[in-house]
Amino acid sequence: MKRIGDLDRSRAVALWLFFCATLVFAMIVVGGATRLTGSGLSITEWKPIMGALPPMNHADWVEAFDKYKAIPQYTEVNAGMSMAQFQYIFWWEWAHRLLGRLIGAVFALPFIAFLAFRAIPRRLIGRCAVLLALGGLQGLIGWWMVSSGLADRIDVAPERLATHLGLAFLIFAGLIWTGLEAWAGVDANRPSRGWTWAAGLLLGGVFVQCLLGGLVAGAKAGLIYTDWPMMNGAFFPPIAWGQGALAFLHDQGLVQLNHRIGAYALLFAGTFYAVQALRGRLDGGLGVAAVVFAGGLWFQAGLGVMTLIHAVPVTLGVLHQAVAALVLGVATANLWLVRRSRPRMFASTLR
């Protein structure tokens, strides 16, 4: 009889990881709302422990507001805002940080307990430890991002926002993958190399597109060129190449153009992949997963166009970021399924 620590799978561990993934998804959604409401710089200090407590009285609120008044975003954008308006943006940022602390506790405490009871499959202990470390790193990167907007800018640096968002997406995908591994156990199949590469490239493409979306959000590039499919009536926007390589991070026209090109490429590749998956009569639900993935891409693309032409209202902007996470989750599950199936050679479906 196997001891609990020798098991190759654990449904309890899988459910814990999936719950953590759900919390990270909520964090991505709340983070999007925090950004779109202009709330991200409302808390000007990083206090990992004491910062969990909000202002408790009027004097505390005045102190927090005075600290916000000292940064450029207030003096150049929000000068004259009322205490009630400040409290509105403060609560968004506070909720975002509190949710991050909650995720840390919900992951770390059960992880320690599962280790103590030897309930985590040995092959997954290292992966869970890496996810825990990435969660801690995410807190540091979050403050690194916020700090970029406290002195010389009225908002955070686009590359730092994209890094923060990208790590959130990476943790989300890692939780889903590890949860699936914990649920299903060890698999002895030898996956098709062609299908694995195809599914892996699509997953990588979705992740890169999410990073490009982070740059668009950070540069506020969705507020310009709000026509589609043209960009202010032209195929290509004017680009300030004088910035050098920084144009790829900061130029509003270029980052939006790159995000559009990425969407077109993903739509073509994802649709082609789904057609080939259906033609290949794949086992293990791969055909369904491929169609769901392609459908998610088309829905996200349409949602992106709607968000753009309406100049990024909060509701559509948050929904667009949420669906991006869902598409990434589907792409992750699709690759996991491909690696555990025995499909025909990918090349044979092209004939």
Side-chain angles (χ1 to χ4, degrees):
M1 178 180 295
K2 288 186 177 181
R3 297 176 299 173
I4 189 170
D6 296 328
L7 297 177
D8 65 3
R9 70 178 184 176
S10 169
R11 297 291 171 82
V13 169
L15 291 174
W16 160 62
L17 291 169
F18 291 146
F19 180 65
C20 289
T22 302
L23 289 179
V24 172
F25 175 77
M27 184 76 165
I28 291 170
V29 173
V30 173
T34 300
R35 172 179 55 80
L36 289 166
T37 56
S39 306
L41 298 178
S42 58
I43 301 178
T44 61
E45 296 177 313
W46 188 49
K47 297 180 178 179
I49 305 300
M50 297 306 297
L53 296 175
M56 306 301 291
N57 51 52
H58 179 70
D60 290 344
W61 278 111
V62 170
E63 180 183 359
F65 196 11
D66 285 342
K67 290 176 180 177
Y68 178 67
K69 289 178 178 179
I71 69 172
Q73 187 183 78
Y74 173 81
T75 57
E76 298 182 33
V77 179
N78 291 327
M81 75 185 314
S82 66
M83 174 64 80
Q85 291 172 321
F86 170 70
Q87 289 174 328
Y88 173 77
I89 63 174
F90 180 96
W91 283 122
W92 271 116
E93 175 63 9
W94 182 81
H96 184 54
R97 296 191 187 194
L98 182 66
L99 186 53
R101 293 181 175 95
L102 176 63
I103 293 172
V106 169
F107 190 93
L109 296 179
F111 180 51
I112 294 171
F114 281 131
L115 283 177
F117 288 100
R118 301 178 62 195
I120 302 179
R122 291 180 180 177
R123 62 195 177 86
L124 300 182
I125 292 175
R127 301 185 197 185
C128 290
V130 169
L131 288 170
L132 179 61
L134 290 177
L137 178 62
Q138 178 72 324
L140 292 173
I141 288 179
W143 175 246
W144 174 66
M145 176 190 69
V146 169
S147 65
S148 68
L150 298 180
D152 302 319
R153 299 177 55 93
I154 61 172
D155 50 16
V156 300
E159 62 274 17
R160 297 193 186 190
L161 187 148
T163 302
H164 186 55
L165 182 62
L167 184 54
F169 281 125
L170 183 63
I171 293 171
F172 179 64
L175 287 167
I176 292 174
W177 187 282
T178 309
L180 290 170
E181 286 288 305
W183 184 272
V186 175
D187 180 71
N189 282 344
R190 297 185 64 182
S192 165
R193 182 175 297 179
W195 283 103
T196 298
W197 271 101
L201 287 173
L202 284 173
L203 174 58
V206 172
F207 182 72
V208 170
Q209 180 69 351
C210 290
L211 294 179
L212 292 174
L215 291 176
V216 170
K220 293 182 172 56
L223 301 178
I224 63 169
Y225 304 114
T226 55
D227 54 332
W228 184 86
M230 310 295 279
M231 299 183 72
N232 197 21
F235 285 106
F236 302 102
I239 298 170
W241 289 112
Q243 302 177 79
L246 286 177
F248 288 93
L249 303 176
H250 294 173
D251 186 90
Q252 292 178 308
L254 183 56
V255 296
Q256 191 191 125
L257 176 65
N258 289 338
H259 194 49
R260 290 189 184 200
I261 292 173
Y264 300 147
L266 271 177
L267 279 177
F268 174 80
T271 303
F272 180 77
Y273 175 87
V275 171
Q276 297 307 315
L278 291 175
R279 288 183 61 196
R281 299 176 183 177
L282 305 179
D283 60 357
L286 284 177
V288 174
V291 171
V292 170
F293 172 66
L297 288 177
W298 279 98
F299 179 78
Q300 176 70 336
L303 183 59
V305 172
M306 292 295 296
T307 303
L308 179 70
I309 64 177
H310 287 90
V312 198
V314 173
T315 301
L316 287 177
V318 171
L319 184 60
H320 189 52
Q321 184 159 306
V323 175
L326 293 177
V327 171
L328 183 71
V330 173
T332 302
N334 178 68
L335 176 58
W336 185 86
L337 286 170
V338 166
R339 289 180 54 81
R340 285 177 170 259
S341 67
R342 291 173 178 158
R344 290 195 299 158
M345 294 295 294
F346 183 78
S348 69
T349 68
L350 303 180
R351 293 195 294 268

